[in-house]
Coordinates of all heavy atoms in Angstrom, one line a residue:
N1 N -8.0 -5.9 -3.8 CA -7.5 -4.6 -3.3 C -6.0 -4.8 -2.9 O -5.6 -4.3 -1.9 CB -8.3 -4.1 -2.2 CG -8.0 -2.6 -1.9 OD1 -7.6 -1.9 -2.8 ND2 -8.1 -2.2 -0.6
K2 N -5.3 -5.7 -3.7 CA -3.9 -6.0 -3.4 C -3.1 -4.7 -3.6 O -3.4 -3.9 -4.4 CB -3.4 -7.1 -4.3 CG -4.1 -8.4 -4.0 CD -3.6 -9.5 -5.0 CE -4.3 -10.8 -4.8 NZ -3.9 -11.8 -5.7
S3 N -2.0 -4.7 -2.9 CA -1.1 -3.5 -3.0 C 0.3 -4.0 -3.0 O 0.7 -4.9 -2.2 CB -1.4 -2.6 -1.8 OG -0.6 -1.4 -1.9
G4 N 1.1 -3.3 -3.8 CA 2.6 -3.6 -3.8 C 2.9 -4.9 -4.5 O 2.1 -5.4 -5.3
W5 N 4.0 -5.5 -4.2 CA 4.5 -6.7 -4.9 C 3.7 -7.9 -4.3 O 3.6 -8.1 -3.1 CB 6.0 -6.9 -4.7 CG 6.8 -5.9 -5.5 CD1 7.4 -4.8 -5.1 CD2 7.0 -6.0 -6.9 NE1 8.0 -4.2 -6.1 CE2 7.8 -4.9 -7.3 CE3 6.6 -6.9 -7.9 CZ2 8.2 -4.7 -8.6 CZ3 7.0 -6.7 -9.2 CH2 7.8 -5.6 -9.5
Q6 N 3.3 -8.8 -5.2 CA 2.6 -10.0 -4.9 C 3.2 -11.2 -5.7 O 3.3 -11.1 -6.9 CB 1.1 -9.9 -5.2 CG 0.4 -8.8 -4.5 CD 0.3 -9.0 -3.0 OE1 0.2 -10.2 -2.5 NE2 0.2 -7.9 -2.2
K7 N 3.6 -12.2 -5.0 CA 4.1 -13.4 -5.8 C 2.9 -14.4 -6.0 O 2.3 -14.8 -5.0 CB 5.2 -14.1 -5.0 CG 5.9 -15.2 -5.9 CD 7.2 -15.7 -5.2 CE 7.9 -16.6 -6.1 NZ 9.2 -17.2 -5.5
E8 N 2.7 -14.7 -7.2 CA 1.6 -15.6 -7.5 C 2.2 -16.7 -8.4 O 2.5 -16.6 -9.5 CB 0.5 -14.8 -8.3 CG -0.1 -13.7 -7.5 CD -1.1 -12.9 -8.2 OE1 -1.5 -13.3 -9.3 OE2 -1.5 -11.8 -7.7
G9 N 2.2 -17.9 -7.7 CA 2.9 -19.0 -8.4 C 4.4 -18.7 -8.4 O 5.0 -18.4 -7.3
S10 N 5.1 -18.8 -9.5 CA 6.5 -18.5 -9.6 C 6.8 -17.1 -10.1 O 7.9 -16.7 -10.3 CB 7.2 -19.5 -10.6 OG 6.6 -19.4 -11.9
A11 N 5.7 -16.3 -10.4 CA 5.9 -15.0 -11.0 C 5.5 -13.9 -10.0 O 4.7 -14.1 -9.1 CB 5.0 -14.8 -12.2
W12 N 6.1 -12.7 -10.2 CA 5.9 -11.5 -9.4 C 5.0 -10.6 -10.2 O 5.1 -10.4 -11.4 CB 7.2 -10.8 -9.0 CG 7.9 -11.5 -7.9 CD1 8.9 -12.4 -8.1 CD2 7.7 -11.4 -6.5 NE1 9.4 -12.9 -6.9 CE2 8.6 -12.3 -5.9 CE3 6.8 -10.6 -5.7 CZ2 8.7 -12.4 -4.5 CZ3 6.9 -10.8 -4.4 CH2 7.8 -11.6 -3.7
Y13 N 4.1 -9.9 -9.4 CA 3.2 -8.9 -10.0 C 3.1 -7.7 -9.0 O 3.5 -7.8 -7.9 CB 1.7 -9.5 -10.1 CG 1.6 -10.7 -11.0 CD1 1.9 -11.9 -10.6 CD2 1.3 -10.5 -12.4 CE1 1.9 -13.0 -11.4 CE2 1.2 -11.6 -13.2 CZ 1.5 -12.9 -12.8 OH 1.4 -13.9 -13.6
Y14 N 2.7 -6.6 -9.6 CA 2.7 -5.4 -8.7 C 1.3 -4.7 -8.8 O 0.7 -4.5 -9.9 CB 3.7 -4.4 -9.2 CG 3.9 -3.2 -8.3 CD1 4.6 -3.3 -7.1 CD2 3.2 -2.0 -8.5 CE1 4.8 -2.2 -6.2 CE2 3.4 -0.9 -7.7 CZ 4.1 -1.0 -6.5 OH 4.3 0.0 -5.6
Y15 N 0.7 -4.5 -7.7 CA -0.6 -3.9 -7.6 C -0.6 -2.5 -7.0 O 0.2 -2.2 -6.1 CB -1.6 -4.7 -6.7 CG -1.9 -6.1 -7.3 CD1 -1.0 -7.1 -7.2 CD2 -3.1 -6.3 -8.0 CE1 -1.3 -8.4 -7.7 CE2 -3.4 -7.5 -8.6 CZ -2.5 -8.6 -8.4 OH -2.8 -9.8 -8.9
K16 N -1.4 -1.6 -7.6 CA -1.4 -0.2 -7.1 C -2.9 0.1 -7.0 O -3.7 0.1 -7.9 CB -0.8 0.8 -8.1 CG -0.7 2.2 -7.7 CD 0.0 3.1 -8.6 CE 0.2 4.5 -8.1 NZ 0.9 5.3 -9.1
N17 N -3.3 0.4 -5.7 CA -4.7 0.7 -5.4 C -5.6 -0.4 -5.8 O -6.7 -0.2 -6.3 CB -5.1 2.0 -6.0 CG -4.3 3.2 -5.4 OD1 -3.9 3.2 -4.3 ND2 -4.0 4.2 -6.3
G18 N -5.1 -1.7 -5.7 CA -5.9 -2.8 -6.0 C -5.9 -3.2 -7.5 O -6.5 -4.2 -7.9
T19 N -5.2 -2.4 -8.3 CA -5.2 -2.6 -9.8 C -3.8 -3.2 -10.2 O -2.8 -2.7 -9.8 CB -5.4 -1.3 -10.5 OG1 -6.7 -0.8 -10.2 CG2 -5.4 -1.6 -12.1
L20 N -3.8 -4.3 -11.0 CA -2.6 -4.9 -11.5 C -1.9 -3.9 -12.5 O -2.6 -3.4 -13.4 CB -2.9 -6.2 -12.2 CG -1.8 -7.0 -12.8 CD1 -0.8 -7.4 -11.7 CD2 -2.3 -8.2 -13.6
V21 N -0.7 -3.6 -12.2 CA 0.1 -2.7 -13.1 C 0.6 -3.5 -14.3 O 1.1 -4.6 -14.2 CB 1.3 -2.1 -12.3 CG1 2.1 -1.2 -13.3 CG2 0.8 -1.3 -11.1
R22 N 0.4 -2.9 -15.5 CA 0.8 -3.5 -16.8 C 1.5 -2.5 -17.6 O 1.2 -1.4 -17.6 CB -0.5 -4.0 -17.5 CG -1.4 -5.0 -16.8 CD -2.7 -5.2 -17.5 NE -3.7 -6.0 -16.8 CZ -3.8 -7.3 -16.9 NH1 -3.0 -8.0 -17.7 NH2 -4.8 -7.9 -16.2
N23 N 2.5 -3.1 -18.4 CA 3.2 -2.2 -19.3 C 3.8 -1.0 -18.7 O 3.6 0.1 -19.2 CB 2.4 -1.9 -20.6 CG 2.1 -3.1 -21.4 OD1 3.0 -3.9 -21.7 ND2 0.9 -3.1 -22.0
A24 N 4.4 -1.1 -17.5 CA 4.9 0.0 -16.8 C 6.0 -0.4 -15.9 O 6.2 -1.6 -15.6 CB 3.8 0.7 -16.0
W25 N 6.7 0.6 -15.4 CA 7.8 0.3 -14.4 C 7.2 0.4 -13.0 O 6.4 1.2 -12.7 CB 8.9 1.4 -14.5 CG 9.7 1.2 -15.8 CD1 9.5 1.9 -16.9 CD2 10.8 0.3 -16.0 NE1 10.5 1.5 -17.9 CE2 11.3 0.6 -17.3 CE3 11.5 -0.6 -15.2 CZ2 12.3 -0.2 -17.9 CZ3 12.5 -1.3 -15.7 CH2 13.0 -1.1 -17.1
A26 N 7.8 -0.5 -12.1 CA 7.6 -0.4 -10.7 C 9.0 -0.3 -10.1 O 9.6 -1.3 -9.9 CB 6.8 -1.6 -10.1
G27 N 9.4 0.9 -9.9 CA 10.8 1.1 -9.5 C 11.7 0.7 -10.7 O 11.5 1.2 -11.8
N28 N 12.7 -0.2 -10.4 CA 13.6 -0.7 -11.5 C 13.1 -2.0 -12.1 O 13.9 -2.7 -12.7 CB 15.0 -0.8 -11.0 CG 15.7 0.5 -10.7 OD1 15.4 1.5 -11.4 ND2 16.5 0.6 -9.7
Y29 N 11.8 -2.3 -12.0 CA 11.3 -3.5 -12.5 C 10.2 -3.3 -13.5 O 9.3 -2.4 -13.3 CB 10.8 -4.4 -11.3 CG 11.9 -4.7 -10.3 CD1 12.1 -3.8 -9.3 CD2 12.6 -5.8 -10.4 CE1 13.2 -4.0 -8.4 CE2 13.6 -6.1 -9.5 CZ 13.9 -5.2 -8.5 OH 14.9 -5.4 -7.6
W30 N 10.2 -4.0 -14.6 CA 9.2 -3.8 -15.6 C 8.1 -4.9 -15.6 O 8.3 -6.1 -15.4 CB 9.9 -3.9 -17.0 CG 8.9 -3.8 -18.2 CD1 8.4 -4.7 -18.9 CD2 8.3 -2.5 -18.6 NE1 7.5 -4.2 -19.9 CE2 7.5 -2.9 -19.7 CE3 8.4 -1.2 -18.3 CZ2 6.8 -1.9 -20.4 CZ3 7.7 -0.3 -19.0 CH2 6.9 -0.6 -20.0
L31 N 6.8 -4.4 -15.6 CA 5.7 -5.2 -15.7 C 5.2 -5.3 -17.1 O 4.9 -4.3 -17.7 CB 4.6 -4.7 -14.8 CG 4.8 -4.7 -13.2 CD1 5.3 -6.1 -12.8 CD2 5.7 -3.6 -12.8
G32 N 5.1 -6.5 -17.6 CA 4.7 -6.7 -19.0 C 3.2 -6.6 -19.3 O 2.4 -6.2 -18.4
A33 N 2.7 -6.9 -20.5 CA 1.3 -6.7 -20.8 C 0.4 -7.6 -20.0 O -0.8 -7.3 -19.8 CB 1.1 -7.1 -22.3
D34 N 0.9 -8.7 -19.5 CA 0.1 -9.6 -18.6 C 0.3 -9.3 -17.1 O -0.2 -10.0 -16.2 CB 0.4 -11.0 -18.9 CG 1.9 -11.4 -18.6 OD1 2.7 -10.4 -18.3 OD2 2.3 -12.5 -18.7
G35 N 1.1 -8.2 -16.8 CA 1.4 -7.8 -15.5 C 2.5 -8.5 -14.8 O 3.0 -8.2 -13.7
R36 N 3.1 -9.5 -15.5 CA 4.2 -10.3 -14.9 C 5.5 -9.5 -15.0 O 5.8 -8.8 -16.0 CB 4.3 -11.6 -15.7 CG 5.4 -12.6 -15.2 CD 5.6 -13.7 -16.2 NE 4.4 -14.5 -16.3 CZ 4.2 -15.7 -15.8 NH1 5.2 -16.3 -15.1 NH2 3.1 -16.4 -16.0
M37 N 6.2 -9.6 -13.9 CA 7.5 -8.9 -13.9 C 8.5 -9.6 -14.9 O 8.6 -10.8 -14.9 CB 8.2 -9.0 -12.5 CG 9.5 -8.3 -12.4 SD 10.3 -8.6 -10.8 CE 11.0 -10.2 -11.1
A38 N 9.1 -8.8 -15.8 CA 10.0 -9.4 -16.8 C 11.3 -9.7 -16.2 O 11.8 -9.1 -15.3 CB 10.1 -8.4 -18.0
T39 N 12.0 -10.7 -16.8 CA 13.3 -11.1 -16.5 C 14.1 -11.5 -17.7 O 13.5 -12.0 -18.7 CB 13.4 -12.3 -15.5 OG1 12.7 -13.5 -16.2 CG2 12.6 -12.0 -14.2
N40 N 15.4 -11.1 -17.7 CA 16.3 -11.5 -18.8 C 15.7 -11.1 -20.2 O 15.6 -11.9 -21.1 CB 16.6 -13.0 -18.8 CG 17.3 -13.4 -17.6 OD1 18.2 -12.8 -17.1 ND2 17.0 -14.6 -17.1
A41 N 15.3 -9.8 -20.3 CA 14.7 -9.4 -21.5 C 14.8 -7.9 -21.7 O 15.1 -7.1 -20.8 CB 13.2 -9.7 -21.4
W42 N 14.7 -7.5 -23.0 CA 14.6 -6.1 -23.4 C 13.2 -5.7 -23.2 O 12.3 -6.4 -23.7 CB 15.1 -5.9 -24.8 CG 16.6 -6.0 -25.0 CD1 17.2 -7.2 -25.4 CD2 17.5 -5.0 -24.8 NE1 18.6 -6.9 -25.5 CE2 18.8 -5.6 -25.1 CE3 17.5 -3.7 -24.4 CZ2 20.0 -4.9 -25.0 CZ3 18.6 -3.0 -24.3 CH2 19.9 -3.6 -24.6
V43 N 13.0 -4.6 -22.6 CA 11.6 -4.1 -22.3 C 11.4 -2.6 -22.6 O 12.4 -2.0 -23.0 CB 11.3 -4.3 -20.8 CG1 11.4 -5.8 -20.4 CG2 12.3 -3.5 -19.9
D44 N 10.2 -2.2 -22.4 CA 9.8 -0.8 -22.7 C 10.3 -0.4 -24.1 O 11.2 0.5 -24.2 CB 10.5 0.1 -21.6 CG 9.8 1.5 -21.5 OD1 8.8 1.7 -22.3 OD2 10.2 2.3 -20.7
S45 N 9.7 -1.0 -25.1 CA 10.0 -0.8 -26.5 C 11.5 -1.0 -26.8 O 12.1 -0.3 -27.6 CB 9.6 0.7 -26.9 OG 8.2 0.9 -26.7
N46 N 12.0 -2.1 -26.1 CA 13.4 -2.5 -26.4 C 14.4 -1.4 -26.0 O 15.6 -1.5 -26.5 CB 13.6 -2.9 -27.8 CG 12.9 -4.2 -28.1 OD1 12.9 -5.2 -27.3 ND2 12.3 -4.3 -29.3
R47 N 14.1 -0.5 -25.1 CA 15.0 0.5 -24.7 C 15.9 0.1 -23.5 O 17.0 0.7 -23.3 CB 14.3 1.8 -24.4 CG 13.6 2.4 -25.7 CD 12.9 3.7 -25.3 NE 11.9 3.6 -24.3 CZ 11.4 4.6 -23.6 NH1 11.8 5.8 -23.9 NH2 10.4 4.4 -22.8
Y48 N 15.4 -0.8 -22.7 CA 16.1 -1.1 -21.5 C 16.2 -2.6 -21.3 O 15.3 -3.4 -21.9 CB 15.4 -0.5 -20.3 CG 15.2 1.0 -20.4 CD1 14.0 1.5 -20.8 CD2 16.2 1.9 -20.1 CE1 13.7 2.8 -21.0 CE2 16.0 3.2 -20.3 CZ 14.8 3.7 -20.7 OH 14.6 5.1 -20.8

């Protein structure tokens, strides 16, 4: 039932109502298919 930003190992993840957010934005940060916050990459269908 995690909520908000959580650092797990060296990666950041975002939980909403206990659910890991995937393939979506959390503010200005993109969560990939595995839920990991993306860095140094084109995301969201290479639009950003």
Side-chain angles (χ1 to χ4, degrees):
N1 193 29
K2 296 178 181 178
S3 181
W5 288 104
Q6 303 287 333
K7 190 172 186 180
E8 300 176 10
S10 60
W12 283 96
Y13 298 84
Y14 189 82
Y15 292 82
K16 186 175 182 180
N17 298 325
T19 302
L20 181 63
V21 177
R22 305 169 187 266
N23 290 321
W25 290 96
N28 287 329
Y29 301 85
W30 176 258
L31 292 314
D34 59 356
R36 184 188 297 255
M37 182 189 77
T39 59
N40 297 318
W42 287 95
V43 299
D44 199 1
S45 300
N46 289 319
R47 294 183 299 166
Y48 307 98

